[in-house]
Short mmCIF file of all heavy atoms in Angstrom, two decimals:
data_model
loop_
_atom_site.label_atom_id
_atom_site.label_comp_id
_atom_site.label_asym_id
_atom_site.label_seq_id
_atom_site.Cartn_x
_atom_site.Cartn_y
_atom_site.Cartn_z
N ASN K 1 0.68 -14.49 2.27
CA ASN K 1 0.80 -14.52 0.82
C ASN K 1 1.53 -13.27 0.37
O ASN K 1 1.13 -12.16 0.67
CB ASN K 1 -0.59 -14.61 0.22
CG ASN K 1 -0.56 -14.81 -1.29
OD1 ASN K 1 0.49 -14.84 -1.90
ND2 ASN K 1 -1.72 -14.96 -1.85
N ARG K 2 2.63 -13.41 -0.39
CA ARG K 2 3.43 -12.27 -0.84
C ARG K 2 2.97 -11.73 -2.18
O ARG K 2 3.48 -10.72 -2.64
CB ARG K 2 4.88 -12.67 -0.91
CG ARG K 2 5.42 -13.05 0.47
CD ARG K 2 6.85 -13.38 0.44
NE ARG K 2 7.57 -12.17 0.04
CZ ARG K 2 8.87 -12.12 -0.16
NH1 ARG K 2 9.59 -13.19 -0.01
NH2 ARG K 2 9.46 -11.01 -0.52
N GLN K 3 2.03 -12.37 -2.81
CA GLN K 3 1.52 -11.92 -4.10
C GLN K 3 0.62 -10.70 -3.88
O GLN K 3 -0.29 -10.73 -3.07
CB GLN K 3 0.71 -13.04 -4.76
CG GLN K 3 0.19 -12.73 -6.12
CD GLN K 3 1.23 -12.92 -7.19
OE1 GLN K 3 2.21 -13.61 -6.96
NE2 GLN K 3 1.04 -12.31 -8.33
N CYS K 4 0.89 -9.61 -4.59
CA CYS K 4 0.04 -8.44 -4.46
C CYS K 4 -1.10 -8.51 -5.47
O CYS K 4 -0.98 -9.15 -6.51
CB CYS K 4 0.85 -7.15 -4.65
SG CYS K 4 1.52 -6.95 -6.29
N GLU K 5 -2.19 -7.85 -5.14
CA GLU K 5 -3.31 -7.80 -6.07
C GLU K 5 -3.08 -6.68 -7.06
O GLU K 5 -2.53 -5.63 -6.71
CB GLU K 5 -4.61 -7.58 -5.30
CG GLU K 5 -5.07 -8.82 -4.56
CD GLU K 5 -6.50 -8.68 -4.08
OE1 GLU K 5 -7.30 -8.02 -4.76
OE2 GLU K 5 -6.80 -9.24 -3.03
N GLY K 6 -3.48 -6.90 -8.28
CA GLY K 6 -3.31 -5.88 -9.30
C GLY K 6 -1.88 -5.78 -9.78
O GLY K 6 -1.05 -6.66 -9.54
N MET K 7 -1.57 -4.71 -10.43
CA MET K 7 -0.25 -4.49 -11.01
C MET K 7 0.67 -3.90 -9.94
O MET K 7 0.29 -2.95 -9.27
CB MET K 7 -0.39 -3.52 -12.17
CG MET K 7 0.54 -3.71 -13.30
SD MET K 7 0.71 -5.36 -13.98
CE MET K 7 -0.92 -5.76 -14.51
N PRO K 8 1.88 -4.45 -9.78
CA PRO K 8 2.82 -3.87 -8.83
C PRO K 8 3.19 -2.44 -9.27
O PRO K 8 3.48 -2.21 -10.45
CB PRO K 8 4.05 -4.79 -8.92
CG PRO K 8 3.56 -6.04 -9.56
CD PRO K 8 2.40 -5.66 -10.41
N ASP K 9 3.18 -1.49 -8.34
CA ASP K 9 3.47 -0.09 -8.66
C ASP K 9 4.83 0.10 -9.31
O ASP K 9 5.00 0.96 -10.17
CB ASP K 9 3.41 0.77 -7.39
CG ASP K 9 2.00 0.93 -6.86
OD1 ASP K 9 1.05 0.60 -7.58
OD2 ASP K 9 1.87 1.40 -5.72
N GLU K 10 5.81 -0.69 -8.89
CA GLU K 10 7.18 -0.50 -9.37
C GLU K 10 7.44 -1.12 -10.75
O GLU K 10 8.49 -0.90 -11.35
CB GLU K 10 8.20 -1.05 -8.37
CG GLU K 10 8.20 -2.55 -8.24
CD GLU K 10 7.16 -3.13 -7.29
OE1 GLU K 10 6.31 -2.37 -6.78
OE2 GLU K 10 7.21 -4.35 -7.07
N LEU K 11 6.49 -1.86 -11.28
CA LEU K 11 6.66 -2.51 -12.58
C LEU K 11 6.70 -1.47 -13.70
O LEU K 11 5.85 -0.56 -13.76
CB LEU K 11 5.52 -3.49 -12.83
CG LEU K 11 5.59 -4.33 -14.10
CD1 LEU K 11 6.80 -5.27 -14.05
CD2 LEU K 11 4.32 -5.11 -14.29
N VAL K 12 7.69 -1.58 -14.59
CA VAL K 12 7.81 -0.66 -15.72
C VAL K 12 6.66 -0.91 -16.69
O VAL K 12 6.43 -2.04 -17.11
CB VAL K 12 9.18 -0.84 -16.41
CG1 VAL K 12 9.24 -0.01 -17.68
CG2 VAL K 12 10.30 -0.45 -15.47
N ARG K 13 5.94 0.15 -17.02
CA ARG K 13 4.78 0.04 -17.92
C ARG K 13 5.14 0.42 -19.36
O ARG K 13 4.83 -0.30 -20.29
CB ARG K 13 3.64 0.94 -17.41
CG ARG K 13 2.38 0.80 -18.23
CD ARG K 13 1.31 1.76 -17.77
NE ARG K 13 1.71 3.11 -18.17
CZ ARG K 13 1.29 4.21 -17.58
NH1 ARG K 13 0.48 4.16 -16.55
NH2 ARG K 13 1.70 5.39 -18.00
N ASP K 14 5.78 1.58 -19.54
CA ASP K 14 6.09 2.08 -20.88
C ASP K 14 7.59 2.32 -21.00
O ASP K 14 8.18 2.99 -20.14
CB ASP K 14 5.36 3.39 -21.16
CG ASP K 14 3.86 3.28 -20.98
OD1 ASP K 14 3.30 2.18 -21.19
OD2 ASP K 14 3.23 4.30 -20.63
N TYR K 15 8.21 1.79 -22.05
CA TYR K 15 9.64 1.98 -22.23
C TYR K 15 10.02 1.86 -23.70
O TYR K 15 9.25 1.38 -24.52
CB TYR K 15 10.44 0.99 -21.39
CG TYR K 15 10.29 -0.46 -21.78
CD1 TYR K 15 11.17 -1.06 -22.67
CD2 TYR K 15 9.28 -1.25 -21.25
CE1 TYR K 15 11.05 -2.40 -23.02
CE2 TYR K 15 9.14 -2.58 -21.59
CZ TYR K 15 10.02 -3.14 -22.47
OH TYR K 15 9.89 -4.46 -22.83
N THR K 16 11.24 2.32 -24.01
CA THR K 16 11.78 2.24 -25.36
C THR K 16 13.18 1.68 -25.29
O THR K 16 13.98 2.08 -24.44
CB THR K 16 11.83 3.64 -26.01
OG1 THR K 16 10.52 4.20 -26.02
CG2 THR K 16 12.36 3.57 -27.44
N VAL K 17 13.47 0.73 -26.17
CA VAL K 17 14.82 0.17 -26.32
C VAL K 17 15.35 0.67 -27.66
O VAL K 17 14.69 0.49 -28.69
CB VAL K 17 14.81 -1.37 -26.29
CG1 VAL K 17 16.18 -1.93 -26.59
CG2 VAL K 17 14.29 -1.87 -24.95
N THR K 18 16.53 1.30 -27.64
CA THR K 18 17.14 1.82 -28.87
C THR K 18 18.56 1.28 -28.99
O THR K 18 19.34 1.38 -28.04
CB THR K 18 17.18 3.36 -28.85
OG1 THR K 18 15.87 3.86 -28.61
CG2 THR K 18 17.71 3.90 -30.17
N LEU K 19 18.88 0.70 -30.13
CA LEU K 19 20.24 0.24 -30.42
C LEU K 19 20.82 1.13 -31.50
O LEU K 19 20.12 1.44 -32.49
CB LEU K 19 20.25 -1.21 -30.91
CG LEU K 19 20.17 -2.29 -29.83
CD1 LEU K 19 18.79 -2.37 -29.24
CD2 LEU K 19 20.59 -3.61 -30.39
N LYS K 20 22.07 1.54 -31.31
CA LYS K 20 22.74 2.39 -32.28
C LYS K 20 24.09 1.82 -32.67
O LYS K 20 24.75 1.16 -31.86
CB LYS K 20 22.95 3.80 -31.71
CG LYS K 20 21.68 4.59 -31.59
CD LYS K 20 21.99 6.02 -31.20
CE LYS K 20 20.73 6.85 -31.26
NZ LYS K 20 21.01 8.27 -31.01
N ARG K 21 24.47 2.11 -33.89
CA ARG K 21 25.81 1.84 -34.38
C ARG K 21 26.34 3.21 -34.78
O ARG K 21 25.89 3.79 -35.78
CB ARG K 21 25.78 0.89 -35.57
CG ARG K 21 27.16 0.47 -36.06
CD ARG K 21 27.14 -0.61 -37.14
NE ARG K 21 26.12 -0.44 -38.16
CZ ARG K 21 25.04 -1.20 -38.30
NH1 ARG K 21 24.83 -2.22 -37.50
NH2 ARG K 21 24.17 -0.98 -39.26
N GLY K 22 27.26 3.74 -33.98
CA GLY K 22 27.68 5.13 -34.16
C GLY K 22 26.50 6.04 -33.85
O GLY K 22 25.87 5.92 -32.80
N GLU K 23 26.17 6.92 -34.76
CA GLU K 23 25.01 7.81 -34.58
C GLU K 23 23.74 7.27 -35.22
O GLU K 23 22.66 7.84 -35.08
CB GLU K 23 25.34 9.19 -35.17
CG GLU K 23 26.43 9.93 -34.41
CD GLU K 23 26.04 10.22 -32.97
OE1 GLU K 23 24.90 10.66 -32.71
OE2 GLU K 23 26.89 9.97 -32.09
N GLU K 24 23.86 6.16 -35.95
CA GLU K 24 22.73 5.58 -36.67
C GLU K 24 21.90 4.67 -35.77
O GLU K 24 22.42 3.75 -35.14
CB GLU K 24 23.24 4.77 -37.87
CG GLU K 24 22.16 4.07 -38.64
CD GLU K 24 22.69 3.10 -39.67
OE1 GLU K 24 23.92 2.89 -39.73
OE2 GLU K 24 21.87 2.52 -40.41
N THR K 25 20.61 4.91 -35.70
CA THR K 25 19.69 4.02 -34.99
C THR K 25 19.43 2.81 -35.88
O THR K 25 18.92 2.95 -36.99
CB THR K 25 18.37 4.73 -34.66
OG1 THR K 25 18.65 5.84 -33.80
CG2 THR K 25 17.40 3.78 -33.96
N VAL K 26 19.81 1.62 -35.38
CA VAL K 26 19.64 0.40 -36.16
C VAL K 26 18.43 -0.42 -35.71
O VAL K 26 18.00 -1.33 -36.41
CB VAL K 26 20.92 -0.46 -36.15
CG1 VAL K 26 22.04 0.26 -36.88
CG2 VAL K 26 21.34 -0.83 -34.74
N PHE K 27 17.90 -0.10 -34.53
CA PHE K 27 16.73 -0.81 -34.01
C PHE K 27 16.08 0.04 -32.93
O PHE K 27 16.78 0.63 -32.11
CB PHE K 27 17.12 -2.17 -33.42
CG PHE K 27 15.98 -2.93 -32.83
CD1 PHE K 27 15.14 -3.68 -33.63
CD2 PHE K 27 15.72 -2.88 -31.47
CE1 PHE K 27 14.06 -4.39 -33.08
CE2 PHE K 27 14.66 -3.58 -30.91
CZ PHE K 27 13.83 -4.33 -31.73
N LYS K 28 14.76 0.10 -32.96
CA LYS K 28 14.03 0.81 -31.91
C LYS K 28 12.73 0.09 -31.65
O LYS K 28 12.01 -0.28 -32.58
CB LYS K 28 13.76 2.25 -32.33
CG LYS K 28 13.11 3.07 -31.25
CD LYS K 28 13.00 4.53 -31.67
CE LYS K 28 12.38 5.34 -30.56
NZ LYS K 28 12.28 6.76 -30.93
N LYS K 29 12.43 -0.14 -30.39
CA LYS K 29 11.20 -0.83 -29.99
C LYS K 29 10.54 -0.04 -28.88
O LYS K 29 11.14 0.18 -27.82
CB LYS K 29 11.53 -2.26 -29.52
CG LYS K 29 10.38 -3.02 -28.93
CD LYS K 29 9.43 -3.53 -29.99
CE LYS K 29 8.38 -4.43 -29.36
NZ LYS K 29 7.50 -5.00 -30.32
N ASP K 30 9.32 0.42 -29.12
CA ASP K 30 8.52 1.09 -28.10
C ASP K 30 7.55 0.08 -27.50
O ASP K 30 6.85 -0.62 -28.24
CB ASP K 30 7.71 2.24 -28.71
CG ASP K 30 8.59 3.38 -29.16
OD1 ASP K 30 9.42 3.82 -28.36
OD2 ASP K 30 8.44 3.82 -30.32
N VAL K 31 7.52 0.00 -26.19
CA VAL K 31 6.60 -0.90 -25.49
C VAL K 31 5.67 -0.04 -24.63
O VAL K 31 6.14 0.76 -23.82
CB VAL K 31 7.36 -1.92 -24.61
CG1 VAL K 31 6.39 -2.79 -23.83
CG2 VAL K 31 8.28 -2.77 -25.47
N GLN K 32 4.38 -0.20 -24.83
CA GLN K 32 3.37 0.54 -24.08
C GLN K 32 2.46 -0.46 -23.38
O GLN K 32 2.07 -1.46 -23.96
CB GLN K 32 2.53 1.40 -25.04
CG GLN K 32 3.33 2.37 -25.88
CD GLN K 32 3.94 3.48 -25.06
OE1 GLN K 32 3.26 4.12 -24.26
NE2 GLN K 32 5.23 3.68 -25.22
N GLY K 33 2.16 -0.19 -22.12
CA GLY K 33 1.22 -1.03 -21.38
C GLY K 33 1.78 -2.37 -20.94
O GLY K 33 1.02 -3.33 -20.78
N ASN K 34 3.08 -2.44 -20.72
CA ASN K 34 3.69 -3.70 -20.27
C ASN K 34 3.08 -4.13 -18.93
O ASN K 34 2.83 -3.31 -18.04
CB ASN K 34 5.20 -3.53 -20.10
CG ASN K 34 5.84 -4.75 -19.49
OD1 ASN K 34 5.72 -5.84 -20.01
ND2 ASN K 34 6.49 -4.56 -18.36
N TYR K 35 2.88 -5.42 -18.77
CA TYR K 35 2.36 -5.97 -17.52
C TYR K 35 3.17 -7.17 -17.03
O TYR K 35 2.75 -7.86 -16.10
CB TYR K 35 0.88 -6.36 -17.69
CG TYR K 35 0.65 -7.38 -18.77
CD1 TYR K 35 0.65 -8.73 -18.47
CD2 TYR K 35 0.46 -7.00 -20.09
CE1 TYR K 35 0.46 -9.69 -19.46
CE2 TYR K 35 0.26 -7.94 -21.08
CZ TYR K 35 0.26 -9.28 -20.76
OH TYR K 35 0.08 -10.22 -21.74
N GLN K 36 4.31 -7.45 -17.65
CA GLN K 36 5.12 -8.61 -17.27
C GLN K 36 6.47 -8.17 -16.72
O GLN K 36 7.03 -7.17 -17.14
CB GLN K 36 5.35 -9.49 -18.50
CG GLN K 36 4.08 -10.06 -19.07
CD GLN K 36 4.34 -10.87 -20.32
OE1 GLN K 36 5.18 -10.52 -21.13
NE2 GLN K 36 3.60 -11.96 -20.46
N ARG K 37 7.01 -8.94 -15.79
CA ARG K 37 8.34 -8.65 -15.24
C ARG K 37 9.44 -9.06 -16.22
O ARG K 37 10.45 -8.39 -16.32
CB ARG K 37 8.54 -9.36 -13.91
CG ARG K 37 7.70 -8.78 -12.81
CD ARG K 37 8.21 -9.21 -11.44
NE ARG K 37 7.39 -8.66 -10.40
CZ ARG K 37 7.59 -7.47 -9.83
NH1 ARG K 37 8.60 -6.73 -10.21
NH2 ARG K 37 6.80 -7.04 -8.87
N LEU K 38 9.25 -10.14 -16.92
CA LEU K 38 10.22 -10.62 -17.90
C LEU K 38 9.74 -10.23 -19.30
O LEU K 38 8.65 -10.60 -19.71
CB LEU K 38 10.38 -12.14 -17.82
CG LEU K 38 11.26 -12.79 -18.90
CD1 LEU K 38 12.70 -12.30 -18.77
CD2 LEU K 38 11.19 -14.29 -18.80
N ASN K 39 10.56 -9.45 -19.99
CA ASN K 39 10.24 -9.04 -21.35
C ASN K 39 11.32 -9.56 -22.27
O ASN K 39 12.51 -9.39 -22.00
CB ASN K 39 10.21 -7.52 -21.45
CG ASN K 39 8.95 -6.93 -20.85
OD1 ASN K 39 8.24 -6.22 -21.52
ND2 ASN K 39 8.68 -7.23 -19.60
N ILE K 40 10.92 -10.18 -23.35
CA ILE K 40 11.86 -10.68 -24.35
C ILE K 40 11.56 -9.93 -25.64
O ILE K 40 10.43 -9.94 -26.13
CB ILE K 40 11.72 -12.20 -24.55
CG1 ILE K 40 12.06 -12.92 -23.25
CG2 ILE K 40 12.60 -12.66 -25.71
CD1 ILE K 40 11.80 -14.41 -23.27
N ILE K 41 12.59 -9.27 -26.17
CA ILE K 41 12.45 -8.53 -27.41
C ILE K 41 13.32 -9.22 -28.45
O ILE K 41 14.53 -9.33 -28.29
CB ILE K 41 12.87 -7.07 -27.22
CG1 ILE K 41 11.94 -6.39 -26.22
CG2 ILE K 41 12.87 -6.33 -28.56
CD1 ILE K 41 12.36 -5.00 -25.83
N ASP K 42 12.70 -9.70 -29.51
CA ASP K 42 13.44 -10.35 -30.58
C ASP K 42 14.05 -9.29 -31.48
O ASP K 42 13.36 -8.38 -31.95
CB ASP K 42 12.51 -11.25 -31.40
CG ASP K 42 12.05 -12.45 -30.61
OD1 ASP K 42 12.86 -12.98 -29.83
OD2 ASP K 42 10.89 -12.86 -30.77
N LEU K 43 15.35 -9.42 -31.70
CA LEU K 43 16.06 -8.50 -32.58
C LEU K 43 16.15 -9.11 -33.98
O LEU K 43 16.19 -10.32 -34.12
CB LEU K 43 17.47 -8.24 -32.05
CG LEU K 43 17.56 -7.62 -30.66
CD1 LEU K 43 19.01 -7.51 -30.23
CD2 LEU K 43 16.88 -6.27 -30.63
N PRO K 44 16.21 -8.26 -34.99
CA PRO K 44 16.38 -8.78 -36.35
C PRO K 44 17.70 -9.56 -36.48
O PRO K 44 18.69 -9.21 -35.83
CB PRO K 44 16.42 -7.52 -37.22
CG PRO K 44 15.77 -6.46 -36.39
CD PRO K 44 16.06 -6.81 -34.97
N GLU K 45 17.68 -10.58 -37.30
CA GLU K 45 18.87 -11.41 -37.53
C GLU K 45 20.02 -10.56 -38.05
O GLU K 45 19.85 -9.72 -38.92
CB GLU K 45 18.52 -12.48 -38.56
CG GLU K 45 19.61 -13.50 -38.79
CD GLU K 45 19.62 -14.58 -37.74
OE1 GLU K 45 18.59 -14.84 -37.12
OE2 GLU K 45 20.69 -15.18 -37.57
N GLY K 46 21.21 -10.76 -37.47
CA GLY K 46 22.42 -10.13 -37.96
C GLY K 46 22.61 -8.67 -37.58
O GLY K 46 23.51 -8.02 -38.09
N ILE K 47 21.79 -8.15 -36.71
CA ILE K 47 21.92 -6.74 -36.31
C ILE K 47 23.18 -6.55 -35.46
O ILE K 47 23.51 -7.40 -34.64
CB ILE K 47 20.66 -6.25 -35.56
CG1 ILE K 47 20.63 -4.74 -35.50
CG2 ILE K 47 20.57 -6.82 -34.18
CD1 ILE K 47 19.28 -4.20 -35.08
N THR K 48 23.88 -5.47 -35.69
CA THR K 48 25.04 -5.13 -34.87
C THR K 48 24.88 -3.71 -34.36
O THR K 48 24.37 -2.83 -35.07
CB THR K 48 26.36 -5.25 -35.65
OG1 THR K 48 26.33 -4.38 -36.76
CG2 THR K 48 26.60 -6.69 -36.11
N ALA K 49 25.33 -3.49 -33.13
CA ALA K 49 25.22 -2.17 -32.51
C ALA K 49 26.36 -2.01 -31.52
O ALA K 49 26.92 -2.99 -31.04
CB ALA K 49 23.88 -2.02 -31.81
N ASP K 50 26.68 -0.77 -31.22
CA ASP K 50 27.70 -0.52 -30.21
C ASP K 50 27.16 0.19 -28.98
O ASP K 50 27.88 0.45 -28.03
CB ASP K 50 28.90 0.23 -30.80
CG ASP K 50 28.51 1.51 -31.52
OD1 ASP K 50 27.53 2.15 -31.12
OD2 ASP K 50 29.20 1.85 -32.49
N SER K 51 25.85 0.49 -28.98
CA SER K 51 25.25 1.06 -27.78
C SER K 51 23.78 0.68 -27.70
O SER K 51 23.12 0.45 -28.71
CB SER K 51 25.41 2.58 -27.75
OG SER K 51 24.59 3.19 -28.72
N LEU K 52 23.30 0.61 -26.47
CA LEU K 52 21.89 0.32 -26.20
C LEU K 52 21.41 1.32 -25.18
O LEU K 52 22.10 1.59 -24.19
CB LEU K 52 21.72 -1.10 -25.65
CG LEU K 52 20.30 -1.49 -25.29
CD1 LEU K 52 20.05 -2.94 -25.61
CD2 LEU K 52 19.99 -1.22 -23.83
N THR K 53 20.25 1.90 -25.42
CA THR K 53 19.64 2.82 -24.47
C THR K 53 18.27 2.28 -24.09
O THR K 53 17.48 1.92 -24.96
CB THR K 53 19.48 4.23 -25.08
OG1 THR K 53 20.75 4.69 -25.52
CG2 THR K 53 18.90 5.20 -24.07
N LEU K 54 18.02 2.23 -22.79
CA LEU K 54 16.70 1.87 -22.27
C LEU K 54 16.12 3.13 -21.66
O LEU K 54 16.66 3.67 -20.69
CB LEU K 54 16.81 0.77 -21.21
CG LEU K 54 15.53 0.42 -20.47
CD1 LEU K 54 14.49 -0.15 -21.42
CD2 LEU K 54 15.82 -0.54 -19.33
N SER K 55 15.04 3.63 -22.25
CA SER K 55 14.37 4.84 -21.76
C SER K 55 13.03 4.44 -21.17
O SER K 55 12.18 3.90 -21.87
CB SER K 55 14.15 5.83 -22.90
OG SER K 55 15.37 6.17 -23.51
N ILE K 56 12.87 4.71 -19.90
CA ILE K 56 11.63 4.34 -19.21
C ILE K 56 10.75 5.58 -19.10
O ILE K 56 11.17 6.59 -18.54
CB ILE K 56 11.92 3.73 -17.84
CG1 ILE K 56 12.75 2.46 -18.04
CG2 ILE K 56 10.62 3.46 -17.08
CD1 ILE K 56 13.26 1.84 -16.78
N GLN K 57 9.54 5.48 -19.65
CA GLN K 57 8.62 6.60 -19.62
C GLN K 57 7.65 6.54 -18.42
O GLN K 57 7.25 7.58 -17.93
CB GLN K 57 7.80 6.67 -20.91
CG GLN K 57 8.57 7.12 -22.13
CD GLN K 57 9.31 5.99 -22.82
OE1 GLN K 57 8.81 4.89 -22.92
NE2 GLN K 57 10.50 6.29 -23.29
N ALA K 58 7.29 5.33 -17.97
CA ALA K 58 6.29 5.23 -16.90
C ALA K 58 6.36 3.88 -16.21
O ALA K 58 6.72 2.87 -16.81
CB ALA K 58 4.89 5.44 -17.46
N THR K 59 5.99 3.89 -14.93
CA THR K 59 5.76 2.66 -14.17
C THR K 59 4.25 2.55 -13.95
O THR K 59 3.49 3.37 -14.43
CB THR K 59 6.49 2.70 -12.81
OG1 THR K 59 5.89 3.73 -12.01
CG2 THR K 59 7.98 2.95 -12.97
N HIS K 60 3.87 1.59 -13.15
CA HIS K 60 2.45 1.45 -12.81
C HIS K 60 2.12 2.23 -11.55
O HIS K 60 1.22 1.85 -10.81
CB HIS K 60 2.09 -0.03 -12.65
CG HIS K 60 1.90 -0.72 -13.95
ND1 HIS K 60 0.72 -0.74 -14.65
CD2 HIS K 60 2.78 -1.41 -14.73
CE1 HIS K 60 0.85 -1.40 -15.76
NE2 HIS K 60 2.10 -1.82 -15.84
N GLY K 61 2.86 3.32 -11.29
CA GLY K 61 2.52 4.19 -10.17
C GLY K 61 3.69 4.61 -9.30
O GLY K 61 3.63 5.61 -8.61
N TYR K 62 4.77 3.84 -9.30
CA TYR K 62 5.92 4.17 -8.46
C TYR K 62 6.65 5.36 -9.08
O TYR K 62 6.79 5.43 -10.30
CB TYR K 62 6.84 2.95 -8.34
CG TYR K 62 7.81 3.03 -7.19
CD1 TYR K 62 7.38 2.84 -5.90
CD2 TYR K 62 9.15 3.28 -7.41
CE1 TYR K 62 8.26 2.91 -4.83
CE2 TYR K 62 10.05 3.34 -6.36
CZ TYR K 62 9.59 3.16 -5.06
OH TYR K 62 10.46 3.24 -4.02
N PRO K 63 7.15 6.31 -8.27
CA PRO K 63 7.77 7.52 -8.82
C PRO K 63 9.15 7.31 -9.46
O PRO K 63 9.62 8.17 -10.18
CB PRO K 63 7.88 8.45 -7.61
CG PRO K 63 7.88 7.55 -6.44
CD PRO K 63 7.05 6.36 -6.81
N ALA K 64 9.80 6.19 -9.19
CA ALA K 64 11.13 5.94 -9.76
C ALA K 64 11.15 4.55 -10.38
O ALA K 64 10.52 3.63 -9.89
CB ALA K 64 12.19 6.03 -8.67
N ALA K 65 11.91 4.43 -11.46
CA ALA K 65 12.03 3.14 -12.13
C ALA K 65 13.36 2.51 -11.79
O ALA K 65 14.37 3.20 -11.66
CB ALA K 65 11.91 3.32 -13.63
N ARG K 66 13.37 1.19 -11.67
CA ARG K 66 14.60 0.44 -11.41
C ARG K 66 14.61 -0.79 -12.29
O ARG K 66 13.63 -1.52 -12.35
CB ARG K 66 14.68 0.03 -9.95
CG ARG K 66 14.77 1.19 -9.01
CD ARG K 66 14.93 0.70 -7.57
NE ARG K 66 15.00 1.84 -6.70
CZ ARG K 66 14.16 2.07 -5.72
NH1 ARG K 66 13.20 1.21 -5.47
NH2 ARG K 66 14.29 3.14 -4.96
N VAL K 67 15.73 -1.00 -12.95
CA VAL K 67 15.92 -2.20 -13.76
C VAL K 67 17.05 -3.00 -13.11
O VAL K 67 18.12 -2.46 -12.88
CB VAL K 67 16.26 -1.86 -15.22
CG1 VAL K 67 16.58 -3.11 -16.02
CG2 VAL K 67 15.11 -1.07 -15.85
N PHE K 68 16.81 -4.24 -12.81
CA PHE K 68 17.79 -5.05 -12.09
C PHE K 68 18.65 -5.90 -13.00
O PHE K 68 19.73 -6.31 -12.61
CB PHE K 68 17.08 -5.94 -11.06
CG PHE K 68 16.45 -5.14 -9.97
CD1 PHE K 68 15.10 -4.82 -10.03
CD2 PHE K 68 17.19 -4.69 -8.91
CE1 PHE K 68 14.52 -4.05 -9.03
CE2 PHE K 68 16.63 -3.93 -7.91
CZ PHE K 68 15.28 -3.62 -7.96
N GLU K 69 18.20 -6.16 -14.21
CA GLU K 69 19.00 -7.02 -15.09
C GLU K 69 18.56 -6.83 -16.54
O GLU K 69 17.38 -6.70 -16.83
CB GLU K 69 18.84 -8.48 -14.70
CG GLU K 69 19.67 -9.43 -15.50
CD GLU K 69 19.55 -10.87 -15.02
OE1 GLU K 69 18.74 -11.15 -14.12
OE2 GLU K 69 20.26 -11.72 -15.57
N MET K 70 19.56 -6.81 -17.42
CA MET K 70 19.32 -6.85 -18.85
C MET K 70 20.29 -7.84 -19.45
O MET K 70 21.46 -7.88 -19.05
CB MET K 70 19.56 -5.48 -19.50
CG MET K 70 18.50 -4.47 -19.18
SD MET K 70 18.81 -2.89 -20.00
CE MET K 70 18.57 -3.31 -21.70
N ARG K 71 19.83 -8.64 -20.37
CA ARG K 71 20.69 -9.58 -21.10
C ARG K 71 20.48 -9.35 -22.58
O ARG K 71 19.36 -9.20 -23.05
CB ARG K 71 20.32 -11.03 -20.77
CG ARG K 71 20.54 -11.40 -19.34
CD ARG K 71 20.18 -12.84 -19.13
NE ARG K 71 20.18 -13.17 -17.72
CZ ARG K 71 20.00 -14.39 -17.26
NH1 ARG K 71 19.80 -15.39 -18.11
NH2 ARG K 71 20.02 -14.61 -15.98
N ILE K 72 21.58 -9.34 -23.29
CA ILE K 72 21.52 -9.13 -24.72
C ILE K 72 22.30 -10.23 -25.41
O ILE K 72 23.47 -10.43 -25.12
CB ILE K 72 22.07 -7.74 -25.08
CG1 ILE K 72 21.21 -6.71 -24.37
CG2 ILE K 72 22.07 -7.53 -26.58
CD1 ILE K 72 21.79 -5.42 -24.14
N TYR K 73 21.61 -10.96 -26.27
CA TYR K 73 22.25 -12.09 -26.96
C TYR K 73 22.18 -11.85 -28.44
O TYR K 73 21.25 -11.32 -28.96
CB TYR K 73 21.52 -13.41 -26.64
CG TYR K 73 21.47 -13.73 -25.18
CD1 TYR K 73 20.31 -13.51 -24.45
CD2 TYR K 73 22.57 -14.27 -24.54
CE1 TYR K 73 20.26 -13.82 -23.11
CE2 TYR K 73 22.52 -14.59 -23.19
CZ TYR K 73 21.36 -14.37 -22.49
OH TYR K 73 21.31 -14.67 -21.16
#
């Protein structure tokens, strides 16, 4: 069985997504205590940005964070 018990150490627990247009922050979402591999963040209708920053504050124990895919629609 490949399923591990408990929370996988490498899973991102706490993170922040920030969208900016120029120097202006147009959207910011702080996530604390995440326990899912797939996270969907709904953005406000009609938002436009020219940069996105993903800041990871903590995993569930692993010393390094890795993100394998991000999709923005």
Side-chain angles (χ1 to χ4, degrees):
N1 187 357
R2 297 183 63 183
Q3 183 81 19
C4 65
E5 286 193 33
M7 213 49 60
D9 290 347
E10 69 276 6
L11 184 65
V12 173
R13 184 184 72 204
D14 304 331
Y15 66 93
T16 303
V17 174
T18 306
L19 279 74
K20 289 188 172 186
R21 185 173 43 250
E23 293 298 315
E24 177 190 5
T25 299
V26 294
F27 178 82
K28 185 173 181 180
K29 173 76 173 183
D30 292 309
V31 177
Q32 303 291 311
N34 174 57
Y35 59 92
Q36 297 177 322
R37 290 197 181 271
L38 174 64
N39 284 237
I40 298 173
I41 297 173
D42 292 323
L43 300 176
E45 186 81 25
I47 196 166
T48 60
D50 53 33
S51 71
L52 178 144
T53 303
L54 173 64
S55 302
I56 298 172
Q57 288 85 39
T59 65
H60 281 274
Y62 198 74
R66 296 184 181 121
V67 175
F68 294 97
E69 183 176 5
M70 287 181 68
R71 296 181 189 185
I72 300 158
Y73 302 102

